[in-house]
Structure formats: C-alpha cells, structure tokens
Amino acid sequence: MCARTLLPAALIAALLALTGCGTEGGADDGMVGAPSSGSSSPVQPPASSAASGDTTAGSVVPQALRFTATTVDGKPFDAKTLADKPTVLWFWAPWCPKCKAQATETAKVAADYAGKANVVGVAGLDRNDAMKNFVVDTGTGGFPQLSDEKGDIWKRFEVTEQSRYVILDKDGKTVYEGVLPGGEGLAEKVAGLVG
C-alpha cells in the first residue's frame, strides 16, 4: 500500500523538477542545488585521461565531449568535434518563453565566436517537430541544435530544468552552469575563455 502512494508522489516531484522554466535570478543563477556564486559550478562530467585513448585530430577528447546525438534536422552529431575549443551548451525547450528570450543573444554569440568557440543547443522536454519549429521561429539554425527527446544529454550534464547554459573551457571542464536571463552575460563569459 505504501509503495502505491510513494511511487506516484516521486514521479510527480520528478516531473515538476523537469518542467520548471528556470528562474529569472537569485539563488539559482550559478549552480544547481547550491547558493549562487555567479561564476562556476561543481557539476562536472568526469575528466578525461590520456590513457583512455579517445582522441580526435591528435588531441585527447575530454569525457564531457564523448557523446553522440542527432540534430533536430535528423543529422548525426559527434561531440568529439567540439574538442579543443570552449563550448556553450544551451539547454532549452520549445515551449519555454525564457528559452525564446535567450535565442537572439545565443545566436549572436554563436556567430560572433564562430571558429573560436562552439555553441550547441540541446533541445528537450518535447517532440522533435516542436523543436524544429522553435529553431525556425527563433532564427537559431546557424549553429547545431540537438534533439534530446529522451533527455540523455540533459542527464549527462545533470540539467534538471530548461533555460540553462553549461559552459566548458577548451579542456572540457565546466566553468559555468546556470541561468542567464535573455542570454545576458553570455558573450562576456565566452570572451573570457577565448582570450
């Protein structure tokens, strides 16, 4: 009898956590589950080691970039191609107004830092058709947009709500994880990584 009560409650709590639309500021600006520092997060996929042997173009690929996916257009994507450059992962959902508000600034940063830093959208919490429509409606087709319907990449980076940025340095280390309302501050964070 107790399991019948606990299981639905646990599922509802998990769904509420996944469907929250982020916060506009305050204690959630910098990291998940910790007070805001406004700079970096302890959320870090395991670092790579040279002994792992996973390389691309002669360099070791960090553990954080050892995943594959499919774009919203159905094309294969290998994150190994992001190695050796700072990378912005923008986690969004097609129905999220805060995500839509971040689209213009995120696309501008992607264009301004093309060749110096990577920007990749990671869409989730909806169907691929809605994701494609969001990309068209927001003009964010100038950089890769991954369809993460199953949430595998979200889980990999411990993202529990949309409208989040995870920024990795050129070595794949997480240097920022949090909300940037309207994308404000994203350009400065990327500029600091490319020198």
Side-chain angles (χ1 to χ4, degrees):
M1 186 70 152
C2 187
R4 285 184 173 185
T5 305
L6 290 177
L7 183 57
L11 287 173
I12 290 170
L15 286 173
L16 287 174
L18 286 174
T19 59
C21 202
T23 59
E24 276 300 318
D28 200 29
D29 277 350
M31 23 185 149
V32 172
S36 175
S37 68
S39 62
S40 66
S41 169
V43 176
Q44 176 73 27
S48 67
S49 67
S52 68
D54 204 348
T55 62
T56 185
S59 63
V60 176
V61 176
Q63 183 66 31
L65 299 178
R66 293 184 191 173
F67 67 89
T68 58
T70 303
T71 67
V72 296
D73 294 328
K75 297 176 184 167
F77 179 85
D78 191 336
K80 290 179 187 178
T81 62
L82 306 173
D84 295 327
K85 290 183 185 163
T87 297
V88 174
L89 298 172
W90 173 42
F91 291 86
W92 58 269
W95 42 264
C96 172
K98 292 178 186 176
C99 302
K100 192 169 188 174
Q102 293 170 330
T104 300
E105 182 63 17
T106 306
K108 182 179 183 321
V109 168
D112 290 350
Y113 289 95
K116 297 177 187 174
N118 306 301
V119 177
V120 178
V122 186
L125 304 177
D126 210 330
R127 307 287 299 164
N128 193 65
D129 288 343
M131 296 172 187
K132 286 166 108 173
N133 290 338
F134 178 94
V135 171
V136 170
D137 293 346
T138 59
T140 52
F143 57 99
Q145 300 289 343
L146 308 182
S147 177
D148 194 27
E149 287 182 80
K150 294 181 181 178
D152 294 335
I153 303 168
W154 287 51
K155 289 174 194 166
R156 178 182 192 85
F157 288 93
E158 299 179 16
V159 173
T160 59
E161 61 186 355
Q162 72 287 350
S163 181
R164 308 283 297 177
Y165 291 94
V166 174
I167 303 175
L168 310 172
D169 67 10
K170 67 179 183 64
D171 298 318
K173 179 183 173 206
T174 300
V175 295
Y176 179 83
E177 193 277 332
V179 176
L180 296 172
E184 187 176 329
L186 181 61
E188 292 80 4
K189 290 184 182 310
V190 174
L193 293 172
V194 298

